[in-house]
Amino acid sequence: MILKVVKQRSEVSHEKDLLQMILQVAETSGENGLSHKKFIIDNCKTIFIAAYETTAVAATWSLMLLALHPDWQARVRAEVLEICGDKPLHADMLPSMKVLTMVIQEVMRLYSPVFFLAREVFETITLKNVVIPKGVVIQIPIPFLHQDPDIWGPDAHKFNPERFANGVLKACNSPQAYMPFGLGPRICVGQHLAMTELKHTNIPLLISSQRGLNMVSFSVCGVCDFLSVKSSSSVLETDASTSETPCIELSNEEFKTLVCNFASSSTCKALP
């Protein structure tokens, strides 16, 4: 289907959009060992899955949680009306919407669009006295870090955007534990686009809904309700093609410290 759309575009249109940019870059993709078709298909899939699906999930949770918390809904609506007034929404207005940003950050903390980050070690390293050999894959469970009371306080499982009033650095004990877009040199390149899309999704609905968003009946189960973290966490695994999987047994504290440091490490590469 992707190649069909590409063929139609190459025959009848030269519109300057994201697809056209991909087609132009694909002309030199052979220099990196990728075929022309594979480069186009891979990038189109990445844009659809990594951008639209995850943003849609975050937007859905944003609206649901605002509906469940009328006080925050009222604060966001008041801020939007104060900044926009009678003027149409403009991109320059978005950075000033602090309350809306806090709400979105809290939504992605409680219900991260991605459950796991995977990083493959391409050079043997030592983190906090733990030796991680080359070729090992570490899976970082984002909900585990995002709802840990030791990191976020006793209200870690509750919706409280106020914790982000002074930014991510002051929101918790370990800022590296907040990673809805990943962390380190391989952080999501589309994080600013995603935040812009989320704000543009929420604002029109909040303004147009005169009586406010509401839910007749809605029950949310916290992610950590069904995530069981044992005292010894096996966090290391080798490539699936190998017959043996070496594991390192870590305590909860060692586990949290390790993944927070490893996620921001440059001695690893991201996995799809």
Side-chain angles (χ1 to χ4, degrees):
M1 186 178 73
I2 294 176
L3 292 178
K4 182 179 179 180
V5 174
V6 169
K7 183 179 179 181
Q8 293 174 348
R9 171 60 63 86
S10 61
E11 292 176 350
V12 299
S13 174
H14 292 286
E15 184 179 353
K16 296 295 182 181
D17 58 10
L18 189 56
L19 177 57
Q20 191 62 33
M21 292 171 63
I22 293 176
L23 296 180
Q24 291 175 354
V25 177
E27 296 177 359
T28 60
S29 61
E31 299 175 2
N32 299 320
L34 293 175
S35 68
H36 183 269
K37 290 183 179 180
K38 180 173 175 57
F39 179 88
I40 295 173
I41 293 174
D42 288 352
N43 277 278
C44 288
K45 286 182 177 179
T46 299
I47 290 170
F48 178 79
I49 296 174
Y52 288 99
E53 184 179 356
T54 50
T55 304
V57 169
T60 302
W61 281 113
S62 296
L63 296 174
M64 286 185 175
L65 289 173
L66 283 173
L68 287 169
H69 296 84
D71 53 336
W72 278 100
Q73 183 183 156
R75 289 180 60 177
V76 173
R77 183 182 291 105
E79 178 186 66
V80 170
L81 293 175
E82 179 183 354
I83 294 174
C84 293
D86 297 329
K87 301 177 182 178
L89 181 63
H90 191 276
D92 293 339
M93 299 175 179
L94 300 182
S96 302
M97 297 181 183
K98 182 179 178 181
V99 177
L100 179 56
T101 300
M102 290 161 51
V103 167
I104 293 174
Q105 288 175 326
E106 178 70 346
V107 168
M108 291 193 293
R109 182 189 72 84
L110 286 172
Y111 303 103
S112 177
V114 179
F115 273 13
F116 286 93
L117 286 180
R119 294 290 186 268
E120 180 183 353
V121 182
F122 57 82
E123 178 182 331
T124 300
I125 58 175
T126 301
L127 287 176
K128 298 296 180 178
N129 298 320
V130 177
V131 178
I132 307 177
K134 177 181 178 181
V136 162
V137 172
I138 289 188
Q139 288 188 333
I140 303 172
I142 297 177
F144 171 79
L145 296 175
H146 280 190
Q147 297 195 33
D148 190 331
D150 292 337
I151 297 176
W152 298 93
D155 65 341
H157 302 302
K158 297 181 179 179
F159 179 75
N160 179 23
E162 197 67 47
R163 72 178 83 246
F164 289 99
N166 296 312
V168 176
L169 293 178
K170 299 292 182 64
C172 61
N173 297 329
S174 179
Q176 296 90 344
Y178 184 67
M179 52 181 76
F181 296 107
L183 197 66
R186 291 163 184 83
I187 194 169
C188 176
V189 296
Q191 60 175 321
H192 298 300
L193 172 62
M195 288 295 291
T196 300
E197 289 177 332
L198 287 171
K199 291 178 181 180
H200 270 284
T201 300
N202 283 281
I203 291 172
L205 292 174
L206 288 170
I207 294 177
S208 62
S209 179
Q210 297 297 327
R211 288 184 292 181
L213 301 171
N214 62 81
M215 308 293 286
V216 176
S217 176
F218 183 68
S219 175
V220 180
C221 295
V223 175
C224 280
D225 290 344
F226 59 84
L227 276 181
S228 175
V229 182
K230 299 181 180 179
S231 58
S232 292
S233 304
S234 174
V235 297
L236 304 183
E237 62 181 37
T238 60
D239 188 282
S241 60
T242 61
S243 57
E244 296 183 356
T245 303
C247 295
I248 297 178
E249 296 297 324
L250 304 173
S251 66
N252 278 350
E253 280 305 315
E254 291 174 328
F255 173 69
K256 287 182 286 188
T257 303
L258 175 65
V259 294
C260 284
N261 282 274
F262 189 82
S264 58
S265 172
S266 59
T267 320
C268 61
K269 65 180 180 179
L271 294 180

